[in-house]
Amino acid sequence: MIARFLDFLYPPICELCQKPLECGDSICSSCADLLPRISEPFCQNCGESFDGNLEDEFRCQNCLGLTHAFHFARASLKGTSMPFHLVHSLKYRRRFFLAQNLAELMEKTLEEDSRFREMGREAILVPVPLHWRRQQWRQGNQAYELSRQLSKLTGLPLSNALKRVRSTRTQTKLSRKQRLSNLRGAFRLKRGHLDRIRGAQVILVDDVFTTGATAHECTRILKHEGQASKVAILTLVRG
Ligand SMILES: [Zn+2]
Ligand SMILES: [Zn+2]
């Protein structure tokens, strides 16, 4: 009732082109069609897309010589301006209603990628946590909102197994190496979650994968403290 009343006051419009929308959506179908989805070929390690034809599986230049703790990382969208606009709205403008349409894109990625399908129905979704102070400031956590919607769509269980014990300075201008040392000791397994994670296959969920430092550090904790058997990464955007 309240939602209807609010729809009357603020008719829903597309987040990208501002055209009026049918109820239930936050992005219109023409904008959704324009979103740059990642399909093969992409890097088998980090999900970076490759423009062109490649028959074989490939690993990108960035990944040569790197050891990622996670099994693989996959993203649904390329890091162009439209996806980043959506991430920005979700993250800094508290437009959490976007999470439903965005999780639908991530669900497609889960269905399309045989490596996720092999993980089966038992896989657990774990969102990358924010430090409580940052979460309070933003009034929510974008990774949690995406995981929650994804869990609703897929039926996969969701576990807030990780916590961020240390707030870190902003990572945007740091190299991968600097990010890794910046993140050391920033995450812990939450008390009482060992039983859930031990031996489990985990899909770690975040909004953006950039250098993979956050994914790497969270995986280390899930494997060492949580004894997870396998950790794969799913993000909305490959930044
Ligand atoms: Zn639109
Ligand atoms: Zn790569």
Side-chain angles (χ1 to χ4, degrees):
M1 188 64 193
I2 290 176
R4 283 233 182 122
F5 179 66
L6 288 174
D7 274 0
F8 173 72
L9 283 182
Y10 309 101
I13 53 166
C14 171
E15 186 66 20
L16 291 163
C17 70
Q18 276 79 48
K19 279 198 198 118
L21 280 174
E22 297 301 312
C23 56
D25 276 330
S26 50
I27 303 162
C28 77
S29 58
S30 352
C31 286
D33 288 344
L34 289 174
L35 287 172
R37 292 166 208 233
I38 296 178
S39 55
E40 286 184 5
F42 50 79
C43 173
Q44 294 296 305
N45 285 346
C46 73
E48 177 77 300
S49 68
F50 180 84
D51 296 324
N53 284 322
L54 275 178
E55 289 297 314
D56 292 331
E57 289 189 348
F58 94 106
R59 280 164 179 71
C60 75
Q61 285 292 327
N62 297 328
C63 284
L64 293 177
L66 286 187
T67 340
H68 300 298
F70 47 83
H71 195 52
F72 65 89
R74 235 347 266 283
S76 302
L77 300 174
K78 296 177 191 176
T80 58
S81 60
M82 271 167 95
F84 273 123
H85 176 89
L86 294 169
V87 166
H88 190 271
S89 300
L90 185 68
K91 208 163 165 170
Y92 302 109
R93 299 175 64 211
R94 300 182 196 121
R95 300 171 87 82
F96 295 126
F97 56 82
L98 288 170
Q100 192 187 329
N101 280 170
L102 299 178
E104 284 166 8
L105 297 170
M106 294 167 89
E107 182 198 17
K108 283 210 183 78
T109 308
L110 285 182
E111 282 169 0
E112 281 164 12
D113 197 311
S114 60
R115 299 168 302 172
F116 282 122
R117 289 202 305 272
E118 279 159 21
M119 293 175 82
R121 309 297 307 160
E122 303 301 309
I124 299 177
L125 302 170
V126 174
V128 169
L130 290 178
H131 189 264
W132 67 268
R133 219 175 290 133
R134 190 161 293 180
Q135 182 155 336
Q136 214 168 42
W137 173 252
R138 289 197 195 149
Q139 294 176 15
N141 171 9
Q142 68 281 1
Y144 171 72
E145 297 299 328
L146 291 170
S147 307
R148 199 164 63 88
Q149 294 298 335
L150 201 53
S151 174
K152 270 195 205 164
L153 290 165
T154 59
L156 294 173
L158 162 66
S159 168
N160 282 303
L162 292 173
K163 64 175 173 179
R164 197 161 187 145
V165 289
R166 191 161 56 75
S167 198
T168 47
R169 64 195 165 108
T170 173
Q171 304 245 82
T172 30
K173 294 207 171 68
L174 303 182
S175 71
R176 183 174 187 274
K177 212 172 163 189
Q178 287 168 321
R179 286 180 191 220
L180 279 173
S181 68
N182 190 31
L183 284 169
R184 271 269 156 175
F187 301 98
R188 294 296 303 271
L189 193 77
K190 263 194 202 158
R191 201 194 295 249
H193 282 71
L194 182 58
D195 283 350
R196 191 88 190 275
I197 300 300
R198 189 191 282 135
Q201 309 220 24
V202 171
I203 300 173
L204 183 78
V205 178
D206 206 358
D207 51 351
V208 184
F209 180 108
T210 310
T211 66
T214 303
H216 177 85
E217 188 59 19
C218 287
T219 301
R220 241 175 36 79
I221 302 301
L222 286 164
K223 284 191 155 177
H224 294 174
E225 283 186 32
Q227 299 167 39
S229 68
K230 190 194 256 187
V231 180
I233 316 298
L234 175 63
T235 61
L236 177 68
V237 179
R238 176 66 177 87

